[in-house]
Amino acid sequence: MTKAKQADPTSAPGNAEIVSVSDLLPPNLFLLPVSLTAMFPGMIIPFIIPERLVKTVEYVAEGAGYLGVVFARASSTPSATGPATSFSSLPMDQTETQKDKSDAQSEFYRYGVATKILKKMNLPDNQVSVLLAGLQRFEILGIASREPHVVANVRYHYDELAKDIELEALLRNALSQFKQLSKDNPLISEEIKVALVNVDGPGKLADFMASVLIHEVKDYQDFLAIANVKGRLQRLLTLLHKELEVLAIQKQINEEITKKIATHQREFYLQEQLKIIQRELGKAGDEKTRLIERFRGRVKSKAVSEEAAKRIEEELERLNSISEQSSEYSVSVNYLDWVTSLPWGSRSAENHDLRKAHKILEQDHYGLKEVKERILEFLAVRKLNNTSKGSMLCFVGPPGTGKTSLGRSIARALERKFFRFSVGGMRDEAEIKGHRRTYVGAMPGKMIQGLKRVGTQNPVFLIDEIDKIGMGFSSVGDPASSLLELLDPEQNPEFLDHYIDIPFNCSEVLFITTANTTDTIPPALRDRMEIIHLPGYTDSEKLRIAQKYLLPKQMGKNALQPSHLRISTPMLTYLISHYARESGVRALEKQIARICRKVAHKVALRKTQKVNVDSRILIEKYLGIPPFSVEQRFQNSVPGLATGLAWTQYGGDILFVESVAVRGKGGFMLTGSLGEVMQESANIAYTYVRKKGQQLGLPEDYFDKHVLHVHVPAGATPKDGPSAGVTMAVSLYSLVTNRAVDPKVAMTGEITLTGRVLPVGGIKEKLLAAKRAHLKQIILPSENARELKEVEPEIKNGLQFIKVSSIDDCVRLLFKEKK
């Protein structure tokens, strides 16, 4: 279609017959995409044309001036903008068929309005303003051209009007409902009401009212598709009915809201008047008013209990009446700040994915199978019944085995907030339950402080070093007894802090405690917790932990790249056996950190760019002489020397017992900082050997002319417990018989005066110590045999177990080769 073929319907030929608009509208239309403006026939609307569409408008304006106004489907399509209506977006019409969404029409909606350019005016920024008059509906049949302008082949939809009684009824009903709607709807302005009077014809009236009511593109397209005026009015009545229903519901909501705030309105005005009066009298400052409003705002945003809300409101009224110069003012402000900052009803979303939790635990810690299984069991129960009530875990194990870091991993697996505090050496119960407000400088206890810091009601709380808590010798109270209420699932739903003095629900907190031993934990407190033992690590486990966790961690801390440092596996093994022989891995990490720091120093000075630690000489250069020597344990033994296994709060350890006979007046001597129980075991061993003297062929006056001296090395370290009884008896037996004990044999067990061997504790930890010392044979009480089933095969591999029920069996097995 060319410009010469376009006709102008507004021009009146001189003597020609009047021509209708429908006869002049071209079969092809230049398309003008618009947005957020509903255009109907008979309407005159101004549009701002963007720069990319200016050429199309100018080209059409020079000719007949016909434009097809349509909605574009894609937001990226350049569109003209007119007065904004109720359209918020132009989503894809989901009701159109696949045929309607053919490639020819996919970028535009199907129906539009043919318009005539009445006026064009140039604007700054290369934009143009045009005034368009709506002429006729059309339907896009296909796209005739895209360059240089978008031209569509269209079919016009003319009004099908049959005037009868039904049409009159539909029109009157529509006008009546529209007028009713306009009374209560503030969006229908007076200009719209005036314009409605001047609209002529049922079809144009329907279009005008629809332009006010339509809010969705689908309704707009459906309305443009209806050529029959009766059908259009029926569709309009549906829209009016829907709008009236929405208006009725809106009116009902407004009435309910008005009713709710009416009861508070009088109080609000009185409070405002009171504030002004107090300000005029100089009795209240702006700072106090802001504080009170801030505290009230906090309370409104949280699910505060009824009792707490009442107490807070009473304190707010009290604060309002206190002068800012009073000493009570700061006390009241501090109290309100604490109590309104607590996470009343605030909870963090939990992770119930057991596979994800297992993956996190495996990433953070090596081994600890029993502990990880217990954590996953807790998660499974939490997932099924959505409650953690009664979950109080206590990790017991030597230092450096990962108790504290395990608590952090549990919080990460649960996706809960984490808070840790230590009670080691704590002797004041106020540290747990807070001080009363009557004291100067009073504060809440650790529980309330932690809840405020994490900001949730269901965090993970780690109470560290619970075995070192004060035992009530101070006059200020017993902190261990204060923990009873906190860790008791029957009491902590209404935990009462002395400072807050309002019950707070702590039952959703997952409490985890750590300890090195359970002996010093008060029985009542121990009874409330589930004890999970963390044994020490074997050398092979330490090697894997060092390679997977410790070495990468320390290299990162010391800004080393993987290319800067490499420690071979044999040297890590040497490091473990000669520099870090404790149950945990803390000393091992310190030694690795020392190596990393020395390498970082060299790299920073540019003395080297790569260090390969593959020899003992290099390790000793960095760390000095090894503090331990494995070879010393396997030197030829002498009579009177026996190797025992001991348990300490730091894990299992090797214990040597030395015995010597010196001529004198007879008697028995003990050294080595031994406790009462250990001294009793030594006396029983002495009595046993003395009883066996005649059977061993000793002279009758042997014990009268010899002083037997038993010493346990590391004299500065206190030692106690009954499990060294067998070792002391074997040491004395070896001495008096002048037979050496195999240095690769270790033993443990309690003895009685009748020679029986009783079971002892800490078997797993003792076996770990034997494994680290590369011992070969272990003598155990027969009754401890069942505990071997719970020990991992990795620990038992390479060890030979000899089970005895009496000391006679023990010495017979040890010295049978020399009999």
Side-chain angles (χ1 to χ4, degrees):
M1 182 179 66
T2 63
K3 198 166 45 172
K5 294 182 180 179
Q6 295 184 42
D8 188 353
T10 60
S11 61
N15 298 320
E17 189 177 356
I18 295 178
V19 182
S20 67
V21 172
S22 60
D23 295 333
L24 296 176
L25 289 174
N28 293 333
L29 276 177
F30 290 85
L31 296 185
L32 176 67
V34 300
S35 61
L36 304 179
T37 302
M39 184 78 178
F40 285 96
M43 298 177 64
I44 299 176
I45 299 178
F47 287 92
I48 303 296
I49 310 300
E51 184 179 358
R52 292 177 61 181
L53 297 176
V54 168
K55 291 184 178 180
T56 299
V57 173
E58 290 179 344
Y59 181 81
V60 172
E62 292 176 4
Y66 294 121
L67 278 173
V69 172
V70 292
F71 279 174
R73 294 185 183 274
S75 59
S76 59
T77 303
S79 303
T81 55
T85 57
S86 301
F87 294 98
S88 58
S89 62
L90 299 177
M92 175 68 76
D93 190 348
Q94 301 295 329
T95 61
E96 292 189 333
T97 63
Q98 191 64 33
K99 182 179 178 181
D100 295 332
K101 297 178 183 178
S102 62
D103 292 339
Q105 298 171 271
S106 61
E107 57 189 299
F108 302 106
Y109 281 87
R110 186 173 179 180
Y111 296 97
V113 176
T115 63
K116 171 71 174 179
I117 298 177
L118 300 183
K119 186 177 181 181
K120 181 174 77 70
M121 183 174 62
N122 294 329
L123 298 175
D125 299 330
N126 297 324
Q127 290 184 334
V128 172
S129 173
V130 296
L131 190 64
L132 300 181
L135 301 177
Q136 195 61 260
R137 288 170 165 78
F138 69 81
E139 176 185 358
I140 298 177
L141 301 178
I143 302 299
S145 171
R146 297 185 183 274
E147 296 295 340
H149 313 290
V150 180
V151 181
N153 180 250
V154 301
R155 178 173 61 208
Y156 296 100
H157 288 199
Y158 301 104
D159 287 357
E160 299 173 5
L161 182 60
K163 294 185 178 181
D164 53 18
I165 297 176
E166 183 182 358
L167 177 67
E168 184 69 22
L170 288 171
L171 183 59
R172 289 185 181 182
N173 195 2
L175 287 170
S176 174
Q177 292 191 27
F178 189 82
K179 289 177 180 178
Q180 180 183 348
L181 180 66
S182 64
K183 293 178 181 179
D184 300 323
N185 193 337
L187 299 178
I188 302 177
S189 62
E190 289 297 327
E191 290 79 1
I192 294 176
K193 298 176 185 178
V194 173
L196 183 66
V197 178
N198 298 321
V199 176
D200 187 22
K204 291 183 179 180
L205 276 170
D207 289 343
F208 181 81
M209 287 185 281
S211 68
V212 178
L213 300 175
I214 287 178
H215 306 294
E216 298 180 5
V217 177
K218 179 183 178 301
D219 292 336
Y220 177 62
Q221 289 291 300
D222 290 346
F223 207 81
L224 283 180
I226 302 173
N228 186 277
V229 176
K230 287 183 181 179
R232 207 181 301 165
L233 287 170
Q234 289 171 349
R235 177 65 176 167
L236 177 65
L237 286 172
T238 302
L239 295 174
L240 282 167
H241 181 70
K242 177 182 176 182
E243 196 69 25
L244 286 170
E245 285 184 346
V246 171
L247 191 63
I249 295 173
Q250 182 181 352
K251 187 176 180 181
Q252 181 182 352
I253 293 173
N254 289 336
E255 288 176 354
E256 291 178 359
I257 294 174
T258 303
K259 185 177 179 181
K260 287 181 180 179
I261 66 173
T263 56
H264 304 285
Q265 196 72 21
R266 183 171 180 272
E267 181 181 351
F268 172 77
Y269 284 126
L270 291 175
Q271 287 178 350
E272 291 299 316
Q273 290 174 2
L274 180 61
K275 289 178 184 178
I276 296 173
I277 293 171
Q278 288 178 335
R279 194 179 298 117
E280 292 294 330
L281 294 174
K283 293 184 177 181
D286 292 337
E287 181 63 27
K288 182 194 292 187
T289 303
R290 285 194 295 269
L291 278 174
I292 293 174
E293 290 176 354
R294 186 176 69 184
F295 292 147
R296 282 203 170 99
R298 287 182 185 176
V299 174
K300 290 179 181 178
S301 63
K302 298 177 181 180
V304 181
S305 64
E306 184 178 349
E307 180 180 354
K310 182 180 178 182
R311 292 286 299 277
I312 293 171
E313 187 59 35
E314 290 175 354
E315 191 65 27
L316 285 171
E317 292 177 0
R318 180 171 173 269
L319 176 65
N320 199 26
S321 62
I322 299 176
S323 172
E324 293 184 23
Q325 286 72 35
S326 172
S327 60
E328 292 292 322
Y329 180 80
S330 60
V331 174
S332 182
V333 169
N334 289 336
Y335 173 78
L336 286 168
D337 183 53
W338 273 103
V339 76
T340 57
S341 298
L342 290 178
W344 300 94
S346 176
R347 298 169 179 84
S348 55
E350 286 189 8
N351 168 41
H352 293 157
D353 189 344
L354 299 180
R355 292 184 179 86
K356 181 179 178 182
H358 182 263
K359 182 178 179 182
I360 291 173
L361 293 174
E362 290 295 334
Q363 286 175 351
D364 293 351
H365 291 83
Y366 179 81
L368 305 177
K369 181 180 177 182
E370 179 186 353
V371 180
K372 293 175 181 177
E373 286 180 355
R374 177 61 187 89
I375 295 167
L376 294 176
E377 289 169 5
F378 163 76
L379 284 175
V381 173
R382 178 70 175 171
K383 182 177 181 180
L384 293 176
N385 63 10
N386 199 32
T387 178
S388 59
K389 185 176 181 181
S391 300
M392 313 290 171
L393 306 180
C394 180
F395 296 148
V396 179
T401 51
K403 300 183 295 297
T404 302
S405 60
L406 193 60
R408 296 184 186 274
S409 298
I410 293 174
R412 193 160 76 91
L414 290 171
E415 296 183 359
R416 289 193 187 188
K417 296 293 184 67
F418 178 79
F419 181 75
R420 170 196 170 274
F421 68 94
S422 176
V423 295
M426 186 180 292
R427 293 187 176 275
D428 187 356
E429 65 166 340
E431 292 289 328
I432 303 296
K433 300 199 66 174
H435 304 82
R436 298 201 178 275
R437 282 197 288 160
T438 53
Y439 295 103
V440 177
M443 287 186 64
K446 289 289 185 182
M447 185 66 202
I448 296 299
Q449 292 179 32
L451 288 170
K452 178 186 177 182
R453 183 174 300 179
V454 297
T456 61
Q457 201 167 323
N458 61 338
V460 174
F461 262 51
L462 180 72
I463 305 176
D464 226 346
E465 310 293 350
I466 199 169
D467 57 324
K468 300 175 183 63
I469 195 170
M471 298 300 293
F473 301 113
S474 174
S475 60
V476 294
D478 182 6
S481 299
S482 298
L483 283 174
L484 296 178
E485 178 187 357
L486 185 60
L487 299 181
D488 190 343
E490 300 299 326
Q491 300 182 53
N492 60 20
E494 293 186 351
F495 175 73
L496 189 65
D497 183 271
H498 291 155
Y499 181 84
I500 300 299
D501 202 26
I502 301 174
F504 192 89
N505 184 7
C506 297
S507 63
E508 298 180 47
V509 178
L510 173 58
F511 290 100
I512 299 175
T513 61
T514 68
N516 297 127
T517 177
T518 58
D519 296 340
T520 55
I521 301 177
L525 190 57
R526 187 170 61 242
D527 184 60
R528 284 163 168 78
M529 301 181 293
E530 179 179 351
I531 306 297
I532 299 177
H533 290 277
L534 277 71
Y537 295 108
T538 62
D539 286 358
S540 59
E541 288 177 329
K542 285 185 179 181
L543 177 62
R544 296 189 188 97
I545 293 171
Q547 292 173 331
K548 188 175 181 181
Y549 301 98
L550 304 183
L551 185 57
K553 175 184 175 182
Q554 290 302 323
M555 288 181 68
K557 281 188 174 182
N558 292 279
L560 293 176
Q561 299 297 326
S563 60
H564 291 152
L565 173 63
R566 179 184 174 274
I567 305 178
S568 65
T569 300
M571 290 306 99
L572 277 175
T573 304
Y574 179 76
L575 188 68
I576 291 167
S577 60
H578 288 72
Y579 289 87
R581 198 179 281 169
E582 85 288 357
S583 300
V585 293
R586 189 168 293 155
L588 176 60
E589 184 174 9
K590 290 178 181 178
Q591 301 296 349
I592 292 175
R594 287 179 63 188
I595 295 176
C596 290
R597 288 195 298 270
K598 293 183 181 298
V599 173
H601 184 225
K602 287 189 174 184
V603 172
L605 292 176
R606 298 185 179 179
K607 291 184 178 181
T608 183
Q609 288 298 318
K610 183 176 182 179
V611 175
N612 189 12
V613 181
D614 56 0
S615 68
R616 296 185 179 185
I617 297 174
L618 196 56
I619 288 185
E620 292 179 6
K621 178 183 176 182
Y622 287 147
L623 302 180
I625 299 173
F628 304 105
S629 176
V630 176
E631 289 75 12
Q632 290 179 357
R633 299 191 186 279
F634 305 119
Q635 293 178 354
N636 294 329
S637 184
V638 295
L641 178 62
T643 305
L645 298 174
W647 180 91
T648 70
Q649 62 177 345
Y650 304 109
D653 200 1
I654 300 297
L655 192 71
F656 295 101
V657 177
E658 301 173 341
S659 298
V660 207
V662 182
R663 283 189 173 274
K665 296 181 180 180
F668 185 55
M669 183 184 301
L670 290 171
T671 56
S673 188
L674 307 182
E676 291 183 5
V677 177
M678 205 166 183
Q679 291 180 28
E680 292 174 357
S681 298
N683 286 320
I684 294 173
Y686 176 73
T687 303
Y688 167 79
V689 173
R690 191 160 184 173
K691 177 183 176 183
K692 287 283 184 180
Q694 187 174 1
Q695 298 178 11
L696 296 172
L698 296 176
E700 292 184 1
D701 59 349
Y702 177 84
F703 292 100
D704 295 331
K705 294 183 178 181
H706 291 83
V707 176
L708 271 62
H709 185 175
V710 175
H711 175 70
V712 183
T717 305
K719 310 168 191 71
D720 203 1
S723 61
V726 169
T727 312
M728 290 180 169
V730 169
S731 174
L732 289 171
Y733 192 93
S734 169
L735 173 69
V736 299
T737 59
N738 198 30
R739 300 171 184 171
V741 181
D742 187 349
K744 295 185 180 180
V745 178
M747 59 208 74
T748 185
E750 179 184 354
I751 60 171
T752 67
L753 274 174
T754 57
R756 289 189 304 129
V757 177
L758 302 181
V760 291
I763 294 297
K764 187 174 184 179
E765 288 78 7
K766 292 175 181 177
L767 294 184
L768 280 170
K771 191 80 172 178
R772 285 194 296 271
H774 302 281
L775 299 174
K776 300 301 180 183
Q777 288 185 328
I778 308 297
I779 296 177
L780 295 172
S782 298
E783 295 183 33
N784 282 122
R786 61 180 182 272
E787 298 180 30
L788 291 176
K789 298 178 182 179
E790 301 178 359
V791 179
E792 290 81 356
E794 183 182 359
I795 300 175
K796 294 186 289 187
N797 288 342
L799 295 176
Q800 180 184 356
F801 299 100
I802 301 173
K803 307 175 187 67
V804 297
S805 57
S806 68
I807 192 64
D808 290 338
D809 296 339
C810 181
V811 296
R812 188 165 49 248
L813 289 169
L814 281 173
F815 303 109
K816 62 182 179 180
E817 296 179 354
K818 299 182 179 181
K819 286 185 179 180

